[in-house]
Amino acid sequence: MVEQLRAVEAVLVELDAPEGVTHGIRSLHQQLVTREVLHFELHKELAGHERERQRLVEALVEARKRAADLASLYVAVHRLHSTLDRGAVLKALEEVVASLLGCEEMAIFELIGSPAVLAPVASVGMSAGQPGMIRPGEGVIGRSVALGETWLAGAPDGPEPGIVASVPLKVDGEVTGALVLYRLLDHKGSLEPADVELLDVLATHAGTALLATRLRAGSGAAR
C-alpha cells in the first residue's frame, strides 16, 4: 500500500494535480508509514513476550522436575539409613541410581584390606567377573578414589572407554569406596549439572550407610 501511494503521488506531481489532492495523498502516505512502524514495533514486542513466556514455561518444567528429584532423593536417603541390612542398603542404592540418573550399568566398590584395594561389592548390568579389583591410583576410578574427587566422562585428564562417572564414597571426608556409572540409558545421553549434585549427595549418604552395615557385620562376627 505504501509503495502504491508513492506511485500515485508521483503521477499526481507529473499531472500537476491540485495541491490539496497531492497534500492529502502525502498525508495518507505518512500515516501509513507511521502505522507500519508501529506494527513492526508491536510485532517485536510480542515476539519478546513470547520468548519470555517460553523461558518461564521451561523454568517451571525444570523446577517441577527438580522438586520431584529432590522428593525421590529424600525417599532414597531415608531407605539408606532406615536399615543396617547390607543387602537392603545396596539394593536401595542401585534402585535410586537407576531411577534418578537413568543408569543401567553401575558398580559399588569399597576399600578393603591392607594395603587397601577397591573391591566390587555390588553391580548392575555387568558381565560375570566384571568389574574386578582396582588399586587406588589405577585408572580413572583409582585416581578418583586416591584424590577423593568425582571423575566425569569428558574430564581433561583423558577419557576411559565405558565409564561415565566415578564418585568417591566418603565418611567424614575420608574415602571409603566408589560409586561408578558405566552406561546410561539411551534417552539419558549424558549427566547434567543437577545429576552431579545429586551424585555427590547420594555418595555421602551411601558411604555412611555402607560403613554402618560393615560395622554392624563386624560386631556381629565378634560376638
Side-chain angles (χ1 to χ4, degrees), residues 37-180:
V37 170
L38 290 175
H39 179 268
F40 177 73
E41 293 297 329
L42 180 60
H43 180 75
K44 282 177 56 180
E45 185 176 350
L46 288 174
H49 287 318
E50 177 60 24
R51 288 193 296 270
E52 179 63 13
R53 186 193 69 81
Q54 186 61 33
R55 186 190 69 79
L56 291 174
V57 168
E58 292 174 357
L60 178 60
V61 171
E62 181 61 27
R64 287 176 174 172
K65 178 180 180 299
R66 190 69 183 273
D69 287 346
L70 288 174
S72 298
L73 179 60
Y74 173 81
V75 173
V77 168
H78 177 72
R79 286 182 63 189
L80 290 175
H81 294 296
S82 64
T83 179
L84 288 176
D85 179 83
R86 190 170 182 79
V89 169
L90 290 170
K91 185 65 175 176
L93 184 55
E94 293 167 5
E95 290 178 356
V96 72
V97 170
S99 62
L100 292 186
L101 298 173
C103 179
E104 61 181 357
E105 290 184 8
M106 58 163 285
I108 303 166
F109 293 83
E110 285 188 299
L111 282 170
I112 61 172
S114 182
V117 294
L118 284 165
V121 294
S123 64
V124 174
M126 309 294 291
S127 302
Q130 295 294 327
M133 301 280 234
I134 300 173
R135 292 191 297 273
E138 180 181 71
V140 296
I141 299 174
R143 289 197 299 274
S144 170
V145 167
L147 295 173
E149 298 176 355
T150 295
W151 181 93
L152 301 173
D157 58 345
E160 183 154 324
I163 298 179
V164 175
S166 175
V167 186
L169 303 179
K170 298 180 180 180
V171 178
D172 289 335
E174 181 178 349
V175 178
T176 60
L179 170 62
V180 181

Side-chain angles (χ1 to χ4, degrees), residues 204-215:
T204 297
H205 287 281
T208 302
L210 287 173
L211 178 61
T213 64
R214 287 175 65 179
L215 293 176

Side-chain angles (χ1 to χ4, degrees), residues 101-102 153 164 184-193 195-196:
L101 298 173
V164 175
L184 303 177
L185 294 171
D186 291 339
H187 75 270
K188 181 66 177 179
S190 61
L191 294 176
E192 301 173 358
D195 296 325
V196 178

